[in-house]
Amino acid sequence: MRIFSFLREPAPRFLLCGTLCGLPFWAAPLPLSGQFPGEFVGRVVDAVSGAGIFGARVFLSDGAIRGATNPEGQIHLRGLEPGIVQLSVEALGYRRAEFSIRILNGSVTHLQMPLHPEALTLEGLEARTSHPGGRAFDEAAIRDSGARTLGDFLSAVPGVVVRRRGPGGPEEISLRGGESDQVLILIDGVPFADPLGGGADLSSVSLSGVGRIEILPGAQTARFGSGALSGVVLISTARTLTSPFEGRIEAGSLGEKGVAFHGGKAFSRSGIPSALLSAGISGGTAEGSFPFRHDAFLGGGEARRTNADWADQSVFATLATAKPGPHSGHLRVSMDRGERGIPGKSFAPSDSARQDRSRVSLAGGWEWEMEGQVLLLSVHHLRQEVHLADPAPPLGPPFDTRTALVASGIEGEFGRGVSRAGFGRWAIGASLRSWQIDSDQLSGPGQVDRIDGSVHFRLDGTGLDLPAGATPAFAVRAHRDGATGDWLAAHDLSLGLALGPLSLHTAHRSGFSPPSPGDLFFREGVGIAPNPELRAERIPSEFEAGFSLLRAGENLELQLSGEAFIGAVRDMIVWMPDFRFVWRPGNVDVHRRGATLRGDLALRPWGVRMGGHWTHTRATYDRGDAGGSQVAYRPRHTAGASLGWAGRGLRTELRARYTGLRYPVPAPINALDPFWNVEGTVGFTGTLGGWEFSPLLRVDRLLDDRSPFIHAFPEPGRTLRFELRVRRGSG
């Protein structure tokens, strides 16, 4: 299990630790008037959602860039002569906008600057502005992707590896060669993870009602807490009303069928939006039976996977206040449950293994803002239960186990926005999380109770007025592990530069993640042995550098971007078999380094978009018997390409993903061959009487490839899925 903390908005923060001594000065009330010349404090926001846009570039009328916005969308310009000043603002995924401001002698001028979205298709998905090195996708991009689950959606994102165990089986994310429990998944600030192992099964996360997905690779512990050792995935449910009603029906191969409905109602007071109530329900099933061929060394021959079936249901309701005004908040309750057949162990697959799960979550957040000072508070409570059973496993005795999790958390943060003290924003906060696990899969009494806590400080330097639009930021976090009583610490020191169309960023980070209860106390059995002596995983030093180049014109839009990283993982927890083929977790040092390159081109007059990416990740063991070997099931090379066309309501796209060589054991033997997965989608959007209709056909493994990501978990080859979405007008 991973312990997390929650921030209302993701944001990298950084600067020198010595600035801590200035906190009393920044916290003091500060006047908004000053001496000649004048100043400007602005905030660039999404015209639809009202959210701040990070990295928006601001130009003066002479074409000189004056800086880029911080993670809250804020920018502070000093040294402006009195008079009318023309500003131009541009950001990836938004239309360029012009603004006029009047600068007064010795005064600060304030202005909110909305930008209207202009989608840019990247690798088959529409990406919005995100943090440096990250990727963000809005509600329209998620809807148009045709993906049903989070794992399906993330598998198309450059740099993301989704390990799948066949249809109906678990899907796990890997970033930068890390384990799935080293990637923190937050849904509206609430952690989504297996209560024993700490990893998240992405196949059980429905995309119905999701408004934004953001992926930030690298050691994000200082900003988001324990568990974000290799990255974080932030999932936000929709808080704005794009349609009062939306429905979806779908059907596909392997007997798949499903329905989903969600919508909402906006409330106004004196013509001003005051609140939004939204709700949704979804469900789906699949029969899942399909034939496959055994590997030759397992004897070959035809066989049939009979328990790849699944059934999911979920319901949610959200109440959110409108952003204008000094106070805002939201409250969300969600429930989901599912059952499915699971394939069992790769070396001994089972046709009788089953899993049932249920989860109830309650999350709320509040924000108070007055005179530039902000107070944030978030709380959550969840109950989760997982039932595993196999009455006739091919290896070992039958089992029937249950694991229950009850967890609650609270986090508070206080900070100041753009100020004249010399820095853009600082914030200090603390979090507590209590959790209880009761499982007959654990040794001893079968129950784990603990309370974890953390404190953090973050700072960005938007107001420093540095050359080249420099935006330094700093974050630090101290965490107390409730199981051992140990204190762990992490930092994040970053710097961004905006040089016209070219943006550069660099970061130095550290991170940590304590062992999960399953690693420490898993009940010993046939082929399984726990390790109560495990140490926490640590990244003492990770260095990252990246760039983004955007050239946009009337007929053409081109973006090139990439980043490289290097940083070892000390005491990485890896489950590996011994000479008796008994799996047991151990601490192993792992060297990690790699790079990702992306290119995207849009030819506007013809409606053509194309893109490509390549990722290299070298994650090798640092130990005598496996030194230099790639970590098991971590492909060293992944790549992808896409080609799409859109016009007159019709859109088509072809995507290809390459998965490189993988080793099923911690040694360069028994390699699994690389393979390509080709997908195709054809969709159409039309309107009739105030209703919008969007049919979509998606073909996965178009060339009928059956290569599995993990050995002995068969794939069915080509599958088809058809969906029809219906939307009622717009909010």
Side-chain angles (χ1 to χ4, degrees):
M1 174 60 66
R2 301 305 184 207
I3 313 305
F4 321 103
S5 68
F6 324 106
L7 299 180
R8 178 182 173 276
E9 295 181 355
R13 315 284 187 255
F14 30 120
L15 215 13
L16 301 177
C17 295
T19 58
L20 287 170
C21 63
L23 277 176
F25 176 67
W26 299 325
L30 296 168
L32 292 181
S33 62
Q35 300 302 312
F36 178 92
E39 301 183 21
F40 170 67
V41 173
R43 186 167 187 257
V44 181
V45 301
D46 187 301
V48 177
S49 68
I53 300 174
F54 176 56
R57 293 184 286 274
V58 178
F59 299 83
L60 294 182
S61 55
D62 60 3
I65 187 169
R66 289 304 301 268
T69 55
N70 72 358
E72 282 71 43
Q74 297 170 325
I75 187 168
H76 190 177
L77 304 181
R78 289 192 174 89
L80 300 177
E81 297 291 337
I84 302 297
V85 176
Q86 302 294 328
L87 295 178
S88 299
V89 183
E90 65 178 34
L92 176 63
Y94 295 88
R95 291 198 297 271
R96 184 184 178 100
E98 309 285 339
F99 301 93
S100 296
I101 57 174
R102 180 181 293 275
I103 300 299
L104 301 177
N105 181 32
S107 297
V108 177
T109 301
H110 294 263
L111 179 67
Q112 181 161 292
M113 299 173 286
L115 297 185
H116 291 272
E118 185 176 48
L120 171 63
T121 301
L122 304 178
E123 291 304 320
L125 304 174
E126 292 176 355
R128 300 293 186 193
T129 304
S130 177
H131 299 290
R135 308 279 280 182
F137 306 92
D138 66 7
E139 186 175 7
I142 298 168
R143 181 176 61 248
D144 293 343
S145 71
R148 187 185 65 84
T149 68
L150 180 61
D152 192 15
F153 182 86
L154 293 180
S155 64
V157 178
V160 176
V161 174
V162 175
R163 301 198 297 264
R164 170 170 141 151
R165 289 172 169 81
E171 296 174 340
E172 300 175 338
I173 186 174
S174 175
L175 292 175
R176 296 190 172 178
E179 293 280 358
S180 63
D181 60 2
Q182 295 176 351
V183 180
L184 177 57
I185 310 290
L186 294 177
I187 303 177
D188 284 337
V190 181
F192 185 89
D194 175 73
L196 290 183
D201 178 10
L202 307 181
S203 69
S204 60
V205 181
S206 171
L207 296 180
S208 179
V210 172
R212 179 180 170 91
I213 297 175
E214 188 167 10
I215 305 101
L216 302 176
Q220 305 291 337
T221 307
R223 287 190 280 152
F224 300 99
S226 174
L229 202 67
S230 294
V232 63
V233 178
L234 305 168
I235 302 170
S236 302
T237 55
R239 304 273 175 81
T240 58
L241 188 61
T242 58
S243 171
F245 173 82
E246 180 174 331
R248 184 188 81 239
I249 58 173
E250 59 186 29
S253 303
L254 307 181
E256 180 182 343
K257 51 185 176 291
V259 296
F261 305 97
H262 71 268
K265 180 175 177 58
F267 300 91
S268 301
R269 180 181 301 172
S270 301
I272 301 176
S274 59
L276 170 67
L277 176 64
S278 59
I281 185 171
S282 64
T285 63
E287 298 173 3
S289 176
F290 63 91
F292 68 95
R293 173 173 288 277
H294 276 301
D295 287 339
F297 80 91
L298 292 178
E302 297 289 335
R304 175 171 287 271
R305 169 93 191 272
T306 60
N307 66 331
D309 60 299
W310 54 264
D312 291 325
Q313 306 89 38
S314 66
V315 60
F316 74 89
T318 301
L319 177 63
T321 63
K323 177 62 179 174
H327 311 294
S328 63
H330 72 275
L331 182 66
R332 175 183 171 89
V333 60
S334 63
M335 296 176 284
D336 64 82
R337 67 175 307 275
E339 58 178 311
R340 65 183 177 187
I342 52 177
K345 301 179 178 64
S346 63
F347 58 87
S350 172
D351 289 331
S352 55
R354 307 290 302 175
Q355 179 193 68
D356 298 305
R357 55 174 175 78
S358 62
R359 176 183 170 97
V360 179
S361 173
L362 178 68
W366 294 265
E367 175 181 341
W368 293 265
E369 183 174 359
M370 187 172 296
E371 297 182 354
Q373 298 182 95
V374 180
L375 177 63
L376 305 175
L377 180 67
S378 62
V379 296
H380 79 268
H381 178 77
L382 67 91
R383 301 179 65 91
Q384 181 174 314
E385 185 171 319
V386 179
H387 174 214
L388 297 171
D390 192 344
L395 180 66
F399 61 85
D400 191 325
T401 65
R402 293 183 182 274
T403 299
L405 167 70
V406 178
S408 300
I410 181 171
E411 178 168 357
E413 184 178 85
F414 173 77
R416 176 177 285 278
V418 174
S419 73
R420 299 183 61 202
F423 298 98
R425 174 181 167 88
W426 62 263
I428 189 168
S431 64
L432 285 175
R433 186 180 183 221
S434 67
W435 46 291
Q436 179 185 86
I437 298 177
D438 193 353
S439 174
D440 44 21
Q441 295 187 66
L442 297 178
S443 58
Q447 183 169 304
V448 175
D449 296 277
R450 61 191 291 179
I451 298 178
D452 287 25
S454 69
V455 293
H456 66 270
F457 172 75
R458 54 196 183 95
L459 173 70
D460 74 66
T462 305
L464 284 176
D465 198 21
L466 297 174
T471 52
F474 173 73
V476 64
R477 180 179 297 269
H479 172 93
R480 184 183 184 276
D481 183 359
T484 64
D486 294 336
W487 280 91
L488 303 169
H491 76 275
D492 187 329
L493 179 64
S494 309
L495 177 66
L497 299 174
L499 306 173
L502 177 65
S503 297
L504 304 174
H505 78 271
T506 184
H508 186 272
R509 308 184 180 108
S510 63
F512 57 81
S513 188
S516 71
D519 293 328
L520 293 170
F521 309 119
F522 205 91
R523 186 182 298 277
E524 190 163 359
V526 176
I528 294 291
N531 184 359
E533 305 300 324
L534 288 172
R535 299 178 296 276
E537 300 172 311
R538 296 168 295 107
I539 294 182
S541 176
E542 179 184 74
F543 180 78
E544 175 184 301
F547 76 97
S548 176
L549 177 64
L550 175 64
R551 303 295 296 185
E554 182 179 352
N555 298 324
L556 180 146
E557 185 167 308
L558 172 67
Q559 185 191 19
L560 300 175
S561 61
E563 60 271 349
F565 74 93
I566 183 170
V569 182
R570 301 302 180 196
D571 294 325
M572 181 170 170
I573 298 173
V574 180
W575 283 74
M576 294 184 293
D578 60 16
F579 66 95
R580 300 167 300 168
F581 218 71
V582 174
W583 290 76
R584 186 174 190 268
N587 290 116
V588 178
D589 290 343
V590 172
H591 294 297
R592 294 197 309 191
R593 57 187 179 276
T596 295
L597 293 175
R598 297 177 291 268
D600 301 282
L601 175 65
L603 304 176
R604 299 182 188 277
W606 301 277
V608 175
R609 298 179 182 272
M610 60 189 73
H613 71 89
W614 167 80
T615 297
H616 170 75
T617 301
R618 181 177 173 86
T620 57
Y621 298 103
D622 182 16
R623 48 179 288 179
D625 58 341
S629 299
Q630 189 83 348
V631 177
Y633 286 114
R634 301 323 191 269
R636 188 165 292 186
H637 297 278
T638 57
S642 68
L643 176 63
W645 174 83
R648 299 184 179 181
L650 181 67
R651 61 185 185 278
T652 63
E653 188 165 28
L654 198 64
R655 298 190 296 265
R657 298 199 307 269
Y658 172 79
T659 301
L661 200 73
R662 296 146 345 271
Y663 295 107
V665 294
I669 57 175
N670 300 327
L672 300 179
D673 291 334
F675 67 94
W676 283 90
N677 179 21
V678 181
E679 303 173 356
T681 58
V682 179
F684 176 79
T685 300
T687 59
L688 179 64
W691 290 84
E692 180 183 277
F693 297 86
S694 300
L696 177 72
L697 176 66
R698 175 174 174 176
V699 184
D700 189 24
R701 300 199 173 223
L702 185 64
L703 305 181
D704 201 28
D705 181 77
R706 297 171 182 260
S707 302
F709 186 96
I710 298 179
H711 168 68
F713 287 122
E715 291 286 350
R718 185 186 300 112
T719 58
L720 288 81
R721 189 164 69 87
F722 172 81
E723 70 172 38
L724 174 64
R725 291 180 182 265
V726 181
R727 292 159 56 88
R728 176 62 178 175
S730 63

